[in-house]
Amino acid sequence: MNTNSFIGHSVSIEEAKQFAPAAFATSAAPHIRSKNYNFTSSEEIIGHMQSLGFELTMARQSGTKSDLWKNYGAHMLGFQKSDLYISDGNGGVEARPTIILSNSHDGSRPVQFDMGMYRLVCSNGLVVKSMDLGRYRERHSRMDLAGVKTMLDEMIGRLPKTTETINRWVGRDMSAQERQAFAKEALALRVGSDREASEHEIRSLLEPRREADRATNLWTTFNVAQEALTRGGFMLGERQARAITNPWADKTLNESLWTLAEAWAG
C-alpha cells in the first residue's frame, strides 16, 4: 500500500497500525502526568471521521528505534470522502479535498488539522496541494476530544459547497483572450493595479509547469496563476518573481484570487 497517495486509495486499520502505530495509543505517554493534558485519541478521531463517511487514505510516522516514539510519538493521518471530488471534465477525478491530522501522544506536538485540495498532476502519481482550505491547531491542554470533533464537523461542513463551486469552474472553458485577461487581473492582485502588465509577463504567468496544467478551464487557469503568484518563478519585468513568504500576504492573495475566480465563473 502506498501511504503517500491522496487520490482515492484507502488504508485499512491493520495497515495504519503498521505504518503509524502511535496513532493507536490508548493513553498518553507514561512521562506525561500533568492534570491539564487532554489525551486526544487519534484512533477515536479515525472512528469519528469514518462515521462521517470519510476513509483513511494515508498513515505516516517516522521510523525510530525508540519505543517511546514508536508507541506515542508524532504521526500523520489523511482522510477523504469518496463522493467529494473535483472532476477532470472527462469523467475522471482530478482532485479531492483532504483532511490531514497531525498529532502525538507524547506531548511533542499539538493537535493539528489541515484541510486542502490535492490534485493528481501527472501519470506517475505526483500529487500536489493546490488549495489551502483551512487549518486548526491547538495544544492538548486547551482542547479535549469533544471539542476536536465539534471543530472537525464545522470544517467538514464547508467542503460540499467548496467542491460544488470548483466543479463549476471546471465546466467554465476560457478562450485565450479570457485567460490572458484573468491573468492580468490576477497579477494586479500581487503587484497593484497602477502597473500595466506586459504581454511577456502574462505569458510567463500562464506557462504550464506540468501536463495537467494545459487545460483551459477556469479551475486550471486559477491553479496555474495561483501557483505562479504565490511560489514565484514567473517573469516580472526582467527578473523572476520571488515566492511570497509572508503568511498574511499569502492568505490575502489566495482569498482575492478565489473572489476573482468566482466573479469569472458568473
Side-chain angles (χ1 to χ4, degrees):
M1 172 62 65
N2 178 8
T3 62
N4 293 318
S5 177
F6 279 89
I7 304 296
H9 297 281
S10 62
V11 176
S12 72
I13 295 300
E14 290 306 312
E15 288 171 326
K17 287 180 178 180
Q18 177 185 349
F19 298 134
F24 297 88
T26 56
S27 65
H31 68 272
I32 297 179
R33 296 184 175 88
S34 172
K35 294 180 179 179
N36 295 324
Y37 183 89
N38 291 308
F39 174 66
T40 305
S41 168
S42 293
E43 185 174 13
E44 288 198 42
I45 292 173
I46 292 173
H48 183 65
M49 294 297 288
Q50 289 176 332
S51 74
L52 297 174
F54 281 77
E55 296 180 42
L56 183 63
T57 56
M58 183 267 287
R60 293 180 186 167
Q61 183 175 334
S62 298
T64 179
K65 294 181 179 179
S66 166
D67 287 341
L68 179 67
W69 183 267
K70 177 181 178 182
N71 296 325
Y72 300 98
H75 49 274
M76 188 178 294
L77 304 172
F79 303 90
Q80 294 177 342
K81 199 167 187 285
S82 61
D83 61 353
L84 285 179
Y85 62 89
I86 305 304
S87 169
D88 63 2
N90 297 306
V93 175
E94 179 184 341
R96 285 189 184 273
T98 301
I99 296 175
I100 298 176
L101 163 67
S102 302
N103 194 17
S104 74
H105 299 314
D106 64 353
S108 62
R109 65 168 299 121
V111 181
Q112 180 171 313
F113 290 93
D114 290 279
M115 188 163 66
M117 195 68 69
Y118 286 79
R119 298 172 69 210
L120 180 64
V121 296
C122 63
S123 58
N124 68 6
L126 177 64
V127 177
V128 298
K129 185 178 182 181
S130 64
M131 182 179 295
D132 189 348
L133 299 177
R135 168 177 287 187
Y136 171 85
R137 179 186 176 98
E138 190 57 89
R139 289 182 292 178
H140 286 269
S141 60
R142 292 186 177 181
M143 180 64 72
D144 58 14
L145 183 61
V148 168
K149 288 180 179 179
T150 298
M151 179 278 307
L152 263 177
D153 292 348
E154 292 175 354
M155 291 178 70
I156 290 169
R158 300 193 295 267
L159 284 180
K161 183 177 180 181
T162 302
T163 305
E164 179 183 350
T165 296
I166 295 174
N167 275 315
R168 214 164 21 94
W169 296 359
V170 172
R172 168 67 162 91
D173 201 35
M174 305 179 77
S175 66
Q177 291 76 17
E178 286 179 319
R179 296 182 74 242
Q180 290 169 4
F182 179 91
K184 184 176 181 179
E185 291 183 58
L187 181 59
L189 296 174
R190 172 164 172 168
V191 301
S193 57
D194 57 341
R195 178 185 179 284
E196 185 70 22
S198 69
E199 291 186 12
H200 174 61
E201 291 171 335
I202 296 301
R203 285 197 303 270
S204 179
L205 185 65
L206 290 174
E207 183 69 27
R209 302 190 180 196
R210 55 188 70 89
E211 191 62 31
D213 292 337
R214 295 189 179 278
T216 58
N217 58 60
L218 176 58
W219 164 240
T220 303
T221 303
F222 167 86
N223 272 292
V224 171
Q226 181 198 44
E227 182 174 4
L229 290 171
T230 57
R231 298 185 183 181
F234 69 98
M235 296 306 298
L236 195 58
E238 299 301 319
R239 61 178 177 82
Q240 280 195 335
R242 295 180 179 179
I244 295 176
T245 57
N246 183 303
W248 301 109
D250 182 79
K251 181 175 182 292
T252 298
L253 177 59
N254 276 291
E255 289 174 347
S256 298
L257 284 169
W258 179 273
T259 301
L260 175 64
E262 283 189 317
W264 273 87

